[in-house]
């Protein structure tokens, strides 16, 4: 009879906790510089907070500690955790505080430690400057404000927000077009014309956007080259093309090298054939030779049209001539057979040369546009005395590492820093690492490496598997390179270094972690395979590729290391459900033209809407059923799930699934927090207010007035149905009058009484009140029903309308502060604003959170839905690629890219696939229970 083992009580596995605690204490030990690679949920933030606490306990001055992280939310969380810990120490009884000290340090706290620990909170709060816990961008801003002249900035410079940056980018692009228009025969105008011909109407805008997103790298390349012409020559050299190569010259050269006598012999052979294929070939080749009497470009174009397939490959012999004719006339096989001379020449020489020439001409045009856009944008920044978000880190890096005064600035900083801690290190970009390395370089050099007891340390913690910000230039490989660098520096200075692994997860149930490890089992196996050391084998298995610019091998796997997870939770089972994919419904048969609706209409039967409805239905059902989730406490207990316990993660906000899930949840009455990021002009409340602005500026705008009348602005909270509905508007439009405003002013319909009076009064204020006063007074003032119009908006559109409404008023106030406020300018600027606004989606709101995986970084929830797991990354479009020497390479013809561009595309695709897998890892590890 076997023994019965009861299930363990809910809690954490003591053995795993003991091992994890030892690793965490080693990571928090202030006697060594530490680099921590940690799995998700292993307590990264706790370790960092513990290390700061131990530094303070050891006597480190609060003002000499710098903690930098990736987001403001993470910095705020880190600071609040630290102050909660220090605050608790100041009030704990002696015995409890001794236990706390022992758990923190791994040994018993001495009596003297207690008094010091109780004073730490006051010490941290009262120290001038206090603890520096901030984002790296915030630190760089404070550095530049401290040394503005050394950084080449005006004292009191302004950091412009994304909305202002977006407006300035649009203004810079308009200036580029204006410059081209003022000189139609100039180089810039020709470059824009070339870009338009190569890739269509959006090409110049796309090039400018690409360049402005990488303007510092482009400026560095320009400075290194010495001039715009030299930079373009670098691009030509990278493409292995001559500076003046273009498609026309490549075609002329190709024709000049074509064996004309052989073509005439081939024509004679084809004319003797009788099959339809041979007749068509003879006619085509005769046309080629006829075109040669006019121009080589026309001849080679006709020749390639005949020889090549639509896919750009040389046709098979049977598509050019019959087998019998080929055996009778060997010239045909010599030219176009499987080993034919012309087949090889066209494939190996002509087509690559044309591709290089096209890319060369396109790249030189793109560089001309890019440099003009960057110059126009930076001129406006300088005129306004502003820097943008990207400037902060780059200018700080230049100040610390390249400026003539850099040594003096580093000396001043070095006297004020002893300990630097970097959180979320896997998201740190190269420029950011350069700033960190400049700050810490003296820690390991000369007198900077101080005696024991006055140590200076660096602490970095991150998880390569959670590196998902490549669009901000984060590179997981550099994260690991920094570990090697820090270890070497510490060894060179004779200082202690540690790299404890944190692989135990305290967040997720064992079932969830097993699913994560199984999802990446193939990658983990490849990383651990002995043959990974064999480059030839790696190439064969496509696990390694050559970097197209440096010709050095780079890993193509999503991770460079994968450490399986250990679940610390026990007695708290979890669940992983995999739903079948929703099949694409068959299109219904249409009986007549009347049955056809809009071509882009999405029906409820669509796969997307079925999936959204299934997700919303399951969320509603699990809340109604009272499905249990685990709640942390002493002891752990189960409780019914609420809407706030659910997190829905998608890869992208585009495509409709994101909005559809939110809509379906609202239909089912499930509390939902709305979108985590928003583009202001796309929000319903802002659309209504912009319609109001357009009507006030132009009363003849019937559409805008109709939109205002149908909006919540004239929908009383007490009325279940709109007072002004479609029927009311239809009745109004039938009244006499040319314009809708004229009809509204003269109607006696009681449904329009409030709207007529309110709009008439508002129009009288347009010339006398600035936009903020105009809108704030209208929205917050009492309506005919007694409630404010903001209250009407929130009642109709939900609480998620609060953020965009408040941001709209904030933008109006900011517009007034800029000087010369104008309703027309404000409405135009806001309508063109494409910048995104982030809404904080912290837990505890009691609502379902629907977010992208990027937005959910650092968050967790008991129940996580991943409905967007079957769509693959979109292939890179546009043919624009960054190049470390030329700034950029542009090859808009994706059907026949040159070799450099093809290798760049493959590299970019592999990097994109790697981040796609890392996104999945982040999404899976947000879940605690299910």
């Amino acid at each position: 009879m076997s023994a019965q083992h009861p299930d363990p009580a809910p809690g954490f596995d003591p053995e795993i906790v003991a091992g994890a605690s030892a690793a965490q204490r080693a990571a928090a030990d202030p006697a060594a510089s530490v680099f921590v690679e940690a799995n998700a949920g292993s307590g990264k933030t706790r370790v960092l907070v513990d290390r700061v606490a131990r530094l303070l306990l050891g006597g480190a001055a609060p003002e000499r500690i710098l903690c930098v992280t990736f987001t403001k939310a993470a910095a705020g969380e880190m600071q609040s955790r630290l102050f909660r810990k220090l605050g608790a120490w100041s009030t704990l009884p002696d015995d409890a505080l001794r236990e706390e000290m022992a758990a923190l340090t791994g040994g018993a706290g001495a009596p003297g430690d207690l008094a010091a620990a109780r004073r730490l909170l006051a010490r941290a709060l009262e120290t001038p400057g206090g603890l520096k816990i901030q984002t790296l961008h915030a630190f760089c801003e404070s550095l530049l404000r401290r040394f503005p002249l050394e950084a080449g900035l005006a004292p009191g410079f302004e950091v412009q927000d994304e909305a202002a940056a977006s407006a300035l980018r649009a203004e810079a692009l308009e200036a580029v077009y204006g410059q081209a228009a003022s000189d139609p025969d100039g180089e810039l105008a020709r470059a824009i014309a070339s870009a338009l011909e190569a890739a269509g109407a959006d090409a110049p805008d796309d090039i400018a956007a690409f360049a402005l997103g990488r303007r510092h790298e482009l400026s560095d390349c320009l400075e290194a080259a010495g001039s715009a012409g030299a930079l373009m020559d670098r691009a030509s050299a990278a493409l292995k093309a001559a500076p003046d190569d273009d498609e026309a010259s490549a075609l002329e050269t190709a024709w000049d090298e074509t064996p004309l006598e052989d073509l005439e012999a081939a024509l004679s052979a084809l004319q003797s054939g009788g099959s339809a294929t041979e007749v068509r070939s003879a006619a085509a080749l005769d046309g080629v030779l006829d075109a040669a009497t006019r121009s080589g470009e026309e001849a080679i174009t006709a020749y390639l049209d005949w020889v090549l397939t639509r896919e750009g490959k040389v046709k098979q012999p049977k598509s050019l001539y019959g087998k019998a004719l080929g055996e009778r006339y060997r010239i045909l096989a010599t030219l176009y057979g499987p080993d034919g001379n012309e087949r090889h020449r066209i494939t190996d020489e002509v087509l690559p040369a044309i591709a290089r020439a096209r890319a060369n001409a396109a790249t030189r045009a793109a560089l001309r546009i890019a440099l003009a856009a960057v110059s126009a944008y930076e001129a406006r920044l300088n005129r306004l005395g502003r820097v943008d978000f990207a400037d902060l880190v780059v200018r700080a890096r230049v100040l610390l590492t390249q400026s003539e005064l850099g040594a003096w600035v580093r000396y001043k900083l070095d006297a004020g820093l002893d300990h630097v801690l970097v959180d979320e290190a896997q998201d740190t970009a190269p420029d950011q690492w350069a700033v960190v390395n400049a700050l810490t370089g003296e820690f390991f050099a000369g007198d900077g490496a101080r005696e024991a007891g006055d140590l200076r340390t660096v602490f970095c913690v991150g998880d390569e598997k959670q590196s998902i910000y490549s669009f901000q230039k984060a590179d997981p490989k550099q994260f690991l390179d920094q570990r090697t660098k820090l270890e070497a520096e510490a060894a060179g200075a004779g200082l202690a270094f540690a790299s404890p692994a944190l692989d135990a997860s305290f967040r997720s149930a064992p079932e969830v972690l097993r699913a994560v490890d199984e999802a990446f089992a193939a990658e983990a196996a490849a990383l651990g395979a002995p043959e990974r050391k064999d480059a030839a084998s790696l190439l064969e298995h496509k696990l390694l590729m050559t970097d197209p610019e440096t010709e050095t091998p780079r890993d193509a796997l999503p991770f460079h290391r994968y450490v399986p997870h250990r679940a610390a939770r026990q007695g708290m089972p979890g669940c992983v459900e995999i739903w079948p994919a929703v099949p694409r419904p068959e299109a219904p048969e249409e009986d007549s033209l009347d049955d056809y609706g809009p071509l882009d209409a999405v029906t409820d039967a669509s796969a997307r809407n079925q999936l959204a409805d299934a997700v919303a239905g399951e969320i509603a059902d699990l809340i109604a059923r009272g499905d249990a989730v685990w709640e942390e406490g002493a002891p752990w207990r189960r409780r019914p799930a609420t809407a706030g316990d659910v997190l829905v993660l998608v890869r992208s906000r585009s495509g409709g699934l994101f909005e559809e899930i939110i809509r379906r949840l609202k239909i089912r009455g499930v509390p939902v927090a709305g979108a985590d990021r928003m583009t202001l002009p796309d929000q319903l409340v802002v659309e209504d207010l912009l319609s109001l602005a357009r009507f006030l500026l132009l009363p003849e705008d019937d559409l805008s007035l109709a939109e205002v009348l149908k909006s919540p602005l004239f929908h009383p909270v007490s009325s279940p149905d709109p007072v002004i509905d479609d029927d009311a508007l239809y009745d109004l439009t039938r009244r006499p009058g040319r314009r809708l405003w004229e009809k509204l002013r003269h109607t006696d319909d009681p449904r329009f009484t409030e709207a007529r009076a309110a709009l008439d009064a508002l129009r009288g204020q347009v010339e006398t009140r600035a936009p903020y006063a105009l809108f704030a007074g209208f929205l917050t003032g009492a309506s005919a029903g007694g409630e404010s119009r903001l209250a009407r908006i929130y009642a109709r559109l939900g609480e998620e309308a609060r953020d965009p409404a408040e941001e709209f008023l904030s933008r109006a106030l900011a517009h007034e502060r800029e000087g010369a406020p104008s309703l027309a300018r404000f409405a135009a600027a806001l309508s063109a604003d494409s910048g995104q606004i982030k809404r904080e989606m912290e837990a505890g709101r009691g609502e379902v959170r629907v977010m992208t995986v990027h937005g959910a970084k650092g968050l967790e929830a008991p129940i996580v839905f991943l409905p967007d797991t079957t769509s693959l990354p979109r292939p890179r479009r546009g043919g624009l690629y960054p190049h470390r020497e030329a700034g950029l390479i542009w090859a808009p013809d994706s059907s026949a890219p040159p070799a450099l561009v093809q290798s760049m595309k493959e590299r970019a695709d592999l990097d994109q696939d790697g981040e796609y897998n890392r996104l999945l890892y982040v999404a899976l590890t947000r879940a605690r229970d299910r």
Side-chain angles (χ1 to χ4, degrees), residues 445-467:
D447 294 336
R450 298 179 184 173
E451 298 295 331
D454 196 14
L455 288 174
R456 313 181 75 190
T457 63
V458 179
F459 173 85
C460 298
V461 60
D463 181 7
E464 178 211 358
K465 301 185 295 299
Q466 297 187 64
S467 180

Side-chain angles (χ1 to χ4, degrees), residues 672-752:
V672 59
D676 62 326
R677 290 179 185 260
M678 59 184 175
T679 303
L680 204 57
D682 294 339
Q683 305 306 302
L684 285 175
V685 58
V686 177
E687 289 180 342
D688 288 338
L689 293 174
L690 286 174
S691 294
L692 176 60
R694 285 191 287 267
F695 160 72
L696 295 175
L697 292 167
L698 184 67
E700 291 80 7
D701 188 343
D702 292 348
L703 177 60
S704 293
L705 176 55
E707 290 169 347
V708 170
L709 293 174
K710 282 289 299 294
S711 74
L713 297 170
F714 303 110
H715 183 173
V717 173
S718 58
S719 173
D721 298 318
V723 173
I724 303 176
D725 56 12
D726 289 338
D727 291 336
L729 272 180
Y730 184 66
D731 292 340
L732 178 64
T733 58
R734 291 191 296 176
R735 294 185 61 83
R738 294 186 58 197
R739 294 294 182 186
L740 190 61
W741 173 235
E742 181 182 350
K743 298 176 181 180
L744 178 63
R745 293 182 64 193
H746 296 96
T747 183
D748 54 0
D749 190 329
R751 294 175 291 183
F752 296 98

Side-chain angles (χ1 to χ4, degrees), residues 1-5:
M1 181 176 179
S2 61
Q4 297 295 317
H5 297 285

Side-chain angles (χ1 to χ4, degrees), residues 20 114 170 172-173 190 212 214 266 345 360 367 370 410 555 567 579 679 693 714 726 745 812 827 846 853 892 898:
L114 300 185
L173 186 57
R190 292 201 301 271
L212 291 173
R214 295 165 175 79
R345 185 181 74 91
N360 179 61
L367 280 169
R410 291 196 302 274
D555 280 325
W579 292 4
T679 303
F714 303 110
D726 289 338
R745 293 182 64 193
V853 181

